[in-house]
Amino acid sequence: ERQLKKRQYGSTKTEMASTPENIIWILSIPSTGAKFVFDVIRYQTWDGTLWESRVSNGCFHHLKQDGMGFAVGYDLNFLAWDGSKKTAKIAGNSLTVNGQSSNSLQFKSWDGLDWEAKLQVISEEKALSHWDLKFLQRLARGKSSGVMSGHAVVGDKKENKKFRLGFENGTIYDKKSNEKIGSIDTMTRDISFTPTAKGGPKVTYKGIYAADGNFTGTWSQENPITTGTFTFKLDIEKDVKKVKFGEADIVFLKSKSSNKNLRISKEGKVSGTGAQGQWAQFKILKVKDSIVRFQNIGNPKNFLRISPKGELDAGGGGKWCHFKLVKVGKFHVLESVEHGFKKRVGILDDGTAKSPDKTGRGKHGQFEIEYKDKDRQARGPFVQGAKLFFTSFSSGRNLRIKKEGDVDASGGKGKWAQFIVHKDGDFIKLQNVGDEKHYLRITSKNVLDGKGGGGKW
């Protein structure tokens, strides 16, 4: 739906070669300061007809509200804030309005609101990492497509407040309990939610979130009645695949920058100059989810660690040795849990250790995890007897079989969302841990349920 990728236009390709293809609208409501990124504007024409328009291949592509009208051209006839009739033309990434050069359109939208729209050329690389396109656009596009979903973390570390929120079709829900706790309006940026109270009074937060990630507004408490103001940070939760490893897997951590394996020497010094020996081998010990420890095989008393002082060295296996594995392509980044995921294991090109607080998610912080047992790597997570979760990318929660045998993707970490792998030749069967009589199946009538008995379905 976003026209970010290069397209072929046949005979017009040469003619339009100099015209930027990746063009978006930066939309704002001047009265509120709200700002959005869209690839479409919805406006009223001179006669009051409602249209939406995209920019593609140097032209306006107009679609009537009822879908019964479509036109392609260089003109956009729109109704301005003051009700006057104006015409915009596009040339490359610039605009003219009524023959005068302009950097924006000031138009009335379908609902009569006054909007300002500016064109912006944006590269595909920048677009895919742009905050508005990754978070706001993902939510806002639901106004037209009917699909609105996403998730974020809202909070203030200083005040020890942190809420994990999910968004779906304008509703805000608690990521842990899956309860509805508020609402969001992506057109006005208004957001309101009441976190699930844990034995204390209910507090409601109302405000407006901005493209820079700040969420400001007022909070109110029920009993005793108290009010105040707040400024929270709204961060995107990255869609990181959870990494599954067996409890006793022995691996090499191959540095992308030095092209050699991470090692801990006899003296406890960490470097990226290892080969295939015992000092470059690590046993992965799972703590929870994607949190693991790396125990050195050469000296089992040594664990990979970022110390309390922020130095990369060997530790005894305590909390400073806990790392979160973040997947970046085929590589992994090792982020320190105790340092708030802000310090990372890093290796320079010459194999020497890089300061953890200067290590990001670039090549110095990336490692390819290779199994010592090559057959284990080929088998992947689906080994006989393994217990697995299946996380849905659409809901952000785990697949589960409920007590009655119905299937959904609203599970947490309990037994109903766990499955035991049973190998059957080149195939697998998935047995539910909550009720071991239930297997995942697709029936002969094409119905997905968890009422299978382990047979061919």
Side-chain angles (χ1 to χ4, degrees):
E1 290 158 357
R2 290 203 55 78
Q3 299 172 6
L4 293 176
K5 293 188 175 180
K6 300 290 184 182
R7 296 190 177 186
Q8 300 298 319
Y9 289 97
S11 61
T12 64
K13 184 182 178 187
T14 302
E15 178 186 346
M16 296 295 182
S18 62
T19 302
E21 295 174 349
N22 296 334
I23 294 180
I24 58 175
W25 292 105
I26 306 295
L27 291 177
S28 62
I29 306 178
S31 61
T32 65
K35 185 178 290 186
F36 307 88
V37 176
F38 286 102
D39 62 345
V40 63
I41 59 173
R42 292 181 166 182
Y43 64 97
Q44 299 181 38
T45 51
W46 295 356
D47 58 2
T49 306
L50 307 182
W51 291 77
E52 64 178 38
S53 179
R54 286 178 169 83
V55 180
S56 178
N57 199 28
C59 296
F60 289 111
H61 291 239
H62 308 293
L63 180 67
K64 208 170 183 180
Q65 178 193 23
D66 58 11
M68 301 304 292
F70 180 77
V72 178
Y74 295 98
D75 296 351
L76 188 151
N77 299 318
F78 66 97
L79 204 61
W81 292 358
D82 58 4
S84 61
K85 302 175 181 179
K86 294 190 177 181
T87 298
K89 293 181 181 291
I90 183 173
N93 62 337
S94 62
L95 288 168
T96 61
V97 176
N98 283 6
Q100 301 294 318
S101 179
S102 175
N103 63 355
S104 68
L105 304 181
Q106 296 178 340
F107 67 97
K108 287 190 177 293
S109 58
W110 289 6
D111 51 8
L113 285 177
D114 292 341
W115 288 78
E116 185 172 32
K118 295 182 180 181
L119 281 180
Q120 179 173 319
V121 180
I122 189 165
S123 68
E124 182 173 353
E125 180 182 357
K126 181 179 179 182
L128 294 178
S129 64
H130 194 284
W131 187 89
D132 277 328
L133 293 182
K134 288 188 72 176
F135 177 73
L136 177 61
Q137 177 70 12
R138 178 167 56 180
L139 303 182
R141 63 193 284 185
K143 287 288 182 181
S144 58
S145 67
V147 178
M148 184 187 295
S149 64
H151 40 103
V153 176
V154 173
D156 187 328
K157 290 183 179 178
K158 292 181 180 179
E159 297 184 16
N160 197 28
K161 292 179 180 177
K162 190 174 183 180
F163 312 109
R164 293 184 180 275
L165 307 179
F167 302 85
E168 188 168 355
N169 294 326
T171 298
I172 300 176
Y173 62 90
D174 186 295
K175 286 285 287 182
K176 287 187 177 180
S177 66
N178 209 31
E179 296 178 5
K180 178 182 176 180
I181 61 172
S183 62
I184 181 174
D185 187 329
T186 56
M187 296 302 290
T188 63
R189 287 182 179 262
D190 289 328
I191 183 172
S192 172
F193 68 95
T194 304
T196 304
K198 297 180 180 179
K202 286 189 175 181
V203 179
T204 298
Y205 297 88
K206 293 182 178 181
I208 294 178
Y209 61 92
D212 61 3
N214 286 326
F215 171 35
T216 59
T218 60
W219 60 267
S220 58
Q221 181 178 291
E222 281 187 355
N223 187 20
I225 298 176
T226 314
T227 61
T229 60
F230 67 88
T231 298
F232 284 163
K233 187 71 177 176
L234 182 63
D235 295 321
I236 308 161
E237 276 194 310
K238 297 184 180 298
D239 292 326
V240 178
K241 294 181 180 178
K242 291 187 176 178
V243 186
K244 306 290 185 181
F245 294 102
E247 179 66 19
D249 286 331
I250 296 177
V251 300
F252 299 102
L253 299 172
K254 188 175 182 180
S255 167
K256 183 177 182 180
S257 55
S258 71
N259 203 34
K260 292 185 178 181
N261 291 324
L262 196 73
R263 72 188 296 267
I264 299 179
S265 68
K266 292 181 180 180
E267 297 77 22
K269 184 179 180 180
V270 178
S271 68
T273 59
Q276 301 285 320
Q278 60 179 349
W279 307 104
Q281 297 177 27
F282 294 87
K283 181 184 290 187
I284 294 184
L285 301 177
K286 182 177 179 181
V287 179
K288 61 178 181 179
D289 294 338
S290 296
I291 310 300
V292 298
R293 296 180 297 163
F294 291 94
Q295 183 182 28
N296 189 245
I297 298 299
N299 183 354
K301 293 182 180 180
N302 281 344
F303 290 75
L304 192 64
R305 175 182 80 162
I306 295 179
S307 72
K309 294 182 180 180
E311 299 172 348
L312 180 60
D313 61 13
K319 63 182 182 179
W320 301 101
C321 302
H322 292 184
F323 293 94
K324 181 178 181 179
L325 293 173
V326 178
K327 195 166 176 61
V328 180
K330 70 173 184 177
F331 298 95
H332 293 85
V333 176
L334 282 57
E335 299 186 339
S336 170
V337 176
E338 285 301 305
H339 287 289
F341 312 109
K342 293 183 178 180
K343 297 185 188 295
R344 304 172 180 88
V345 176
I347 296 296
L348 297 172
D349 293 354
D350 62 2
T352 57
K354 184 175 181 178
S355 176
D357 60 354
K358 294 182 179 179
T359 302
R361 291 181 176 176
K363 72 170 186 176
H364 290 158
Q366 295 181 17
F367 297 87
E368 185 175 359
I369 297 181
E370 298 179 343
Y371 292 88
K372 181 183 178 184
D373 177 2
K374 298 299 182 184
D375 290 336
R376 168 67 179 90
Q377 186 158 346
R379 289 196 301 270
F382 298 102
V383 295
Q384 178 63 34
K387 290 184 179 180
L388 302 178
F389 296 103
F390 294 87
T391 304
S392 165
F393 275 95
S394 58
S395 72
R397 299 182 67 82
N398 290 325
L399 191 71
R400 70 173 176 180
I401 298 178
K402 297 193 285 189
K403 290 182 180 180
E404 300 78 15
D406 296 328
V407 174
D408 64 21
S410 300
K413 296 292 184 182
K415 61 184 180 179
W416 305 102
Q418 295 181 39
F419 294 87
I420 302 171
V421 175
H422 293 279
K423 298 284 287 185
D424 186 1
D426 292 332
F427 304 96
I428 61 168
K429 299 176 184 178
L430 296 172
Q431 180 185 26
N432 188 243
V433 173
D435 186 343
E436 295 189 356
K437 294 179 182 179
H438 285 170
Y439 286 74
L440 194 67
R441 73 172 178 180
I442 298 177
T443 70
S444 58
K445 296 182 179 180
N446 272 335
V447 176
L448 173 64
D449 66 25
K451 301 176 184 178
K456 65 180 182 178
W457 300 103

